[in-house]
Amino acid sequence: MRKLTTLLVFLMFAGLQIVFAQRTVTGRVTDAANDTPFPGVFVVVKGTTTGVLTDVGGNFTVPVPDNRAVLQFSFIGYVTKEIAVGTQTTFDISLEQSTVQMEEIVVTSLGIKREAKSLGYSATTMNTAQIAENPSMNMGNAMMGKVAGLNVSAPPTGPGGSSKLRIRGQSSFGGYNEPLIVINGVPINNSSTFTGIGGDFGNGLQSINPDDIESMTVLKGATAAALYGYRAKDGVIMITTKSGAGRRGLGVELTSGIVFDQPIDYTDFQQEYGQGQNGLRPVSLTDARSSSSWSFGGKMDGEPVWCFDGKEHPYSPNPKPLGFYNTGITVNNTLAFSGGNENGSFHFSIADNRANAITPNSKFNKQIFDFGVDYKFGKLTLHSNANYSLEYNQNPPGSTQQFGIANTVYTTAVSSDLRWLLDMPGTSGYKDTVTGNEYTITNFSYRTNPYWTAYERFEDRSRNRIFGNILLRYDFFPWLYLQGRVGQDYFVTETEYNSPTGTAYLGAAPAGQFNGEFSITKATFSETNFDFLVGVNKKFGSFGFDAQFGGNAMNTVSQSTGTSVVNFYIRDLYTISNGVTKTPSQTYSQKKVNSLYGTISLSYNDYLFLNATGRNDWFSTLNPESNSYLYPSVGASFVFSQALDNIMPSWFTFGKLRASYAEVGGDTSPYGSSIYYSLNSNAFDGQYAWGGVSGSTVPNPDLKPLKVKEAEVGMELIFLDRRISIDVAGYNKNTVDEILNVDVSSASGYNQTKVNVGKLRNRGVEALLTFVPVETRDFSWETAFNYSYNISKVLELAGGAERIVVSSGQMWLGSQSIAHEVGMPLGSLRGNDFLRNDKGEILTSGGQFRVNSQMMTYGSIIPKHVGGWLNTFTYKMFSLFAQFDFKAGHKLLSQSNYNAMRAGFHKETLVGREAPGVVFDGVVDNDANVSTSEDDTPNTTAVPAQTFYTNYASVKPYTPFIYNASFIKWRTLALNADLTKFVGGRVIKGLNVNASVNNVLSLLKYVDNLDAECISNVDDNNGGIEQMGPPTVRSYALTLNIKF
Amino acid sequence: MKTKYVNIMKAKYVVATLLVALISMVSCDKGFEELNQDPLLPTSLDPAYLLVTCEATYVDNWHYEGSIIQQIQIIIGGQEAAGNRNLRVDNFMQNIWNGSYGNYKLLVEIVNTLEGDATRSNLYNMARIMKAFYAMRLVDTYGNVPYSEAGLGLGGTFYPVYDNQEDIYADIEAELIAATDALDPAKKIETNEMYFKGDIAKWKKFGNSLLLRLGMRYSKSNPSKAQTIVQTATSATRGGVITTNSENVYIPYNSTQNNPGGAALTAGTRQNWHVGRPFVDFLYNNKDPRMRYIVCRYSDPNSGSGGTIDTVGANQVGCPYGLDETTITTDPLYPGAISSNVWKYSQFNRQRNLRVDGWHYIITAAQTQLLMAEARYRGWITTSTAQAYYENGVTQALTQADIFSTTRGGASPITSDEITNYLSRPNIAYADATALQQINEQYWLACFLMWHEGWCNLRRSGYPDLAPNGYPSQDASVANGDGFIHRLCYTIREYTINQDNTEAAATAIGGDELATRIFWDTP
């Protein structure tokens, strides 16, 4: 402890040796902001390698060769100061914090730190304080709307759900275009995993505690990410976690927060006709228990009517359609310790997050232990970080029909309240007291009683994960270093789920057995990376030279074993041994990639910078004949404000032009080059072995990884000492050699094959405008707009095809509706329109609309416009943050509205409720030619309401359920108060209170009955298809931060 | 100072060693090829295991075929709309297509790998028979289909052409004859095969019975061809056809591998599936002893067990066709609803014929003997008498195992007295004047749960004489035709992916419509 109190700040460039002292000068450096001593400042005699660090009192003693020497004082984040020595022997120096971007240091690929001004590409450093304003369990969601070019979606999949990140559009035809997440220089697995019922177990970002983040950089383009080669196609998010560096003294920090999540009810259902079918209200309990999925009953008149809970309730609209959902409560606590001495520093934190979702009996708990240390043994530096997380995800909400709770909630008749079930005497509202089976409330048994799903059905996943790295660096000279690093990401997941015995939709088990299922799977994933880097950094007069050379060996192994059982001998005992039919499973997958890479940077007079990189990757997954790929990049940056310093007006603070080009790649999967067979686990009828081809994709041994070629230009301008700053970028990104899982005729025996043809282009601009309209001593207002426009175009598909269909697994409206089409933006939403004549009138048959059997394209599911408007008002110790964001230019298909239409909830179903029914506004085709309108006569046939609206389900027209998915939202309102001065003192060094609201208001949307952000599928290829996810939530958070 | 220096030097060596190790690690791709082989999965399988897969997953379809022959009916539309309303619904029309071709590639593989392999010639010929069987069902469902280029995806044939249906039939005929004749009890017996554990005599009967089925398909369109094929198929020197239930081909579903039909019809929408009225009426009017094991009414059809069961024939009400959830109340026999949209029409017996461990028959003695009866009646064969074949066919149908029993594989509870009785009933007792109708009505009953074959025979023979469905907003081509679905349409997926070939086929068959007739289905 004593050692820790005598701390010094550690810096990487420490340990310079003193040479040829002719005389020494001394002095003291202070921080201009508060006049306190400034330890750790790098004091160097300009043009030499002579230098020292200031001590804990800010004092230094440095030898100088002669009176012409110039002393340079520098510290990261402060304006470097130069003083001519002359005859002076003592110096009093105060350093000012740099306000101008050009002194910013950015963590770039491989963890290499560079000055922002030298970069020939766009790299945005996130404001970590703003991340903290959104206390989402998934820190990815907190980045929403904050970075130009970064499109974040927070699917409403519960607290344990994924956050979907996309940088500069979608680089590939595949559904997974997620940026690489790099923590402390080492990639981690960020893939999402899904539940068996269409739910979301979350992605890799869940394992990170936002409080542990020191800095975060978004490397957007291919050049920025080029050193990651085959992993760089979607950009990189570089996260550096805390290691205590820069701390003076032992510190303890406690952050406690509580978040309340409230489901937002956007439903605007008809309020005239209640539960029932064919215009009739339920007349008995049996009737009420068979018709809760339907709002085709009688006109609601407040008279008592039988309800599924066995009581009579007034036949009136349920004022709280989403009453099934609770208020979600999340409690977050982080305790962090940090400190250091002259040789190093550390940071250790323990976080405990407990989120109870809005869905009953659904929760996500995690504990994260994060440890970071820097230590210096002379010229040898040790740097290590480790992050250990224990995550437990219980019953995340699903979106399939059977166990997707939202399905039943949104289609419970407008006159009925599911909460009545909770008050049923003698039962728990979901379990039949006699049989122990599901208490059904609808004859549509696929709509499971949601309380049964919540309390009898389980699907849990636990994940134990550790990732981290150890880095050793040796500084031979101030201009030459060598480092080696080993990093690993390792996790074990254990997943189990059941289909409870007695669930209504399940078929009966053979006599003497109990129906149901149980499954348990244990999976491990590991990725290890060994890498080394040699770095050289030299200045020759006006020229600077900086080069790194390195290599990386990556090995990833994922494997799983599991067993699922169907039917049981003993009721309600969900174990493997109790299962009747047991089906074991086992998977193994390994992949290696070896890489060598180098980077060279040249600078001239600190205003002209050139950078080139190259990386070669060797893949184990590819044909050995052609498994080596080179990924080059070049970039240039010109700080014209500095080059033309003498002629620039004083209000022109900073100006930079940049341009770059790079080629990067995509990944490939193992074992894709051969065909494999598999045997079924259980012999047929206990005696006949049977098996077949594993999978339905024809292998392709000649596959290459896809390549992204991206050119980028950009400009940064800062005026009036940062009152106004502008950063714009434009890019053109071509993806070639797309790996396409091309659909093949199923008559070939297969469904798909992988081929290497396909070209895609993304073009776009990004702009960030920061403006400080008011800045006084006590009050300031900073406002920032970020905006990005990305338009994609499919240039070519395999075999000259016009389109490939990529979606799968939709519930109701059909099996194919997302396609990529040549000449169109990526992700065409396709479906069947009504059958129309040449005048556009809808043809009918027997009074029912007809549907065109040819599909049409409605538009792209991917937004063209994404942006945010961020405002920070600071008044003395208070700051108020408000964020608005928007997405526009995309379409969605709402299957919930389809259900609302066919089951009598949608307001449009009010038409034709009374006899004779709906006389649809269409025409009757009187000749055999459907397109000609001459012989068509108006439809006069009336169809009873329920029959008419049910026809939406029979013939499935898409058109009424296609929406413009654009929205504008008031995302965040947060008030922060720094109360340090009231309590600050010897014990408490800081006290902050933060209150925030997230998802404040939806200011503009077009989707009926739902949030415009209702898409719960994180896969791009199913992105535009809404299927009954849980409602989005409004969160109220209160966070307290105390520093000791 | 000196100590510190040494420490630093040591560290330097550590780093240098690390560097050398790292460089050597990344500088090559040694072992990559072996690494890229899945260690858990084999790259080939014994072809017998592939054949079992094709035997075990020959799945029937009730959404169209069962409702076209009016044995099964569902009143509600929505997601279940298909044959009950004479609509084109791709979801259900594609079942046979996708279900067949996935296995077809395995059969192609077995045939291609074992061709000329003397040691496994029996397996080779069994695969040829199965392959012909699969192809025949595809033609019978869609007309022109991929055949010569089908199942060759692994070789790069991704977009197969559609072959002419008559040509395919001709090739199937040749294949069935050649393969059946080449089966040889002296060669290796494939005891791992599922239908008969490799029993050659039974396989020959299976092959010949299929050939008989194929020959009879020509009875309307080309009687002389039919006669030739039937004579070949039934020639005693070639091994004969199936005559008794012990020679039936069936899939022995069990508590592990559940009967997909039974599982689906007893799952979520179980309360909505009813027995078609013509089927109920026919059984009841003729005092069919099968009726009480097939048809019933449940007190609580929503529940898994169905509640209490009523199998009294007089209490059964079959479900009519052409009506929907609203107009159903206009049915003169409307029995009322248990609750909204749960009607009191008769259902299938879940404890017997819909058991999830129930067998699924593929080709039976009953069917084969009834075809023999018709062939004999037409004079195409000369053995025995039409009446004897007919009576044997009916007897075999009534004594099939499993289907009428509450236990898996259980013997038929129908007694010989009941059979004798039944065979002497007015409409059932064989009469030359009405033989064709009687034989094919019995075939229709014998195809219970084998709905695809029932549909083929309805198109072929015109029996039973059913009234058209007549649903008001039914498919236009059906409405303009004879009111029945004569084929299923090509899948939307094929139009998307294999467009040119699909469109050419649609033109070749005279339009891709539900009412288009396949080649042997002449009016």
Side-chain angles (χ1 to χ4, degrees), chain A residues 277-278 286-287 290-291 377-380 443-446 474 476 482 484 504-508 510 513 530-532 534 551-553 581 586-588 590-592 594-596 618-622 624 627 670-671 673-679 682-685 687-694 698-699 742-751 753 803 805 812 816 845-846 848 850 898 902 944 946-947 950 953-956, chain B residues 4 8 11-12 15-16 18-19 22-23 25-26 28-29 32-33 35-45 49-50 52-53 56-57 77-79 81 85 87 89 91 94 97-98 101-102 105-106 109 146 150-154 157-160 191-194 197 251-257 266-271 302 304 324-326 338-342 356-357 408 471-474 476 492-494 496-498:
Chain A
Q277 300 206 71
N278 305 313
T286 319
D287 221 5
S290 80
S291 62
F377 311 87
K379 291 184 175 183
L380 183 70
N443 59 14
F444 192 9
S445 22
Y446 288 112
Y474 192 83
F476 294 92
L482 166 66
Y505 82 85
L506 292 177
Q513 300 171 10
F530 291 92
D531 72 78
F532 75 90
V534 187
N552 186 87
T581 302
Q586 185 185 8
T587 66
Y588 181 90
Q590 185 179 13
K591 168 167 88 176
K592 284 186 181 179
N594 290 340
S595 317
L596 285 174
W618 287 265
F619 300 87
S620 74
T621 51
L622 299 177
N627 69 356
Y671 315 144
S673 55
S674 335
I675 190 104
Y676 293 97
Y677 290 79
S678 63
L679 274 178
N682 295 296
F684 205 95
D685 200 16
Q687 47 187 324
Y688 305 103
W690 56 314
V693 172
S694 173
V698 179
V742 173
D743 281 339
V744 302
S745 164
S746 47
S748 72
Y750 295 83
N751 287 330
T753 183
R803 81 175 60 88
V805 175
W812 288 296
Q816 308 171 347
S845 162
Q848 294 280 27
R850 295 167 68 183
Y898 153 87
R902 68 147 163 171
Q946 181 165 355
T947 310
T950 309
S954 302
V955 301
K956 304 181 180 73
Chain B
K4 199 176 178 186
I8 289 168
K12 206 185 276 184
V15 172
L18 190 66
L19 176 64
L22 286 166
I23 289 178
M25 198 174 302
V26 299
C28 64
D29 55 0
F32 272 15
E33 204 173 353
L35 191 75
N36 202 30
Q37 287 292 320
D38 191 318
L40 300 183
L41 295 177
T43 50
S44 67
L45 275 189
Y49 301 159
L50 304 180
V52 173
T53 300
T57 53
Q79 290 297 320
R85 296 188 177 183
L87 294 173
V89 178
N91 282 357
Q94 64 181 339
W97 186 278
N98 294 338
Y101 280 117
K105 70 162 180 271
L106 301 177
E109 182 187 324
L152 296 171
L154 196 55
T157 306
F158 297 140
Y159 310 103
T191 52
N192 291 326
E193 173 276 317
M194 186 174 84
K197 291 189 191 295
I251 304 173
Y253 288 118
N254 51 75
S255 61
T256 301
Q257 288 95 14
T266 55
T269 50
R270 57 188 160 237
Q271 71 279 9
N302 267 323
D324 58 36
E325 49 275 74
T326 308
I338 287 165
S339 56
S340 67
N341 282 12
V342 179
V356 291
D357 59 357
R408 179 172 179 267
Y471 186 73
S473 57
Q474 68 184 339
I492 290 174
R493 191 171 188 274
E494 273 294 295
T496 317
I497 294 157
N498 194 12

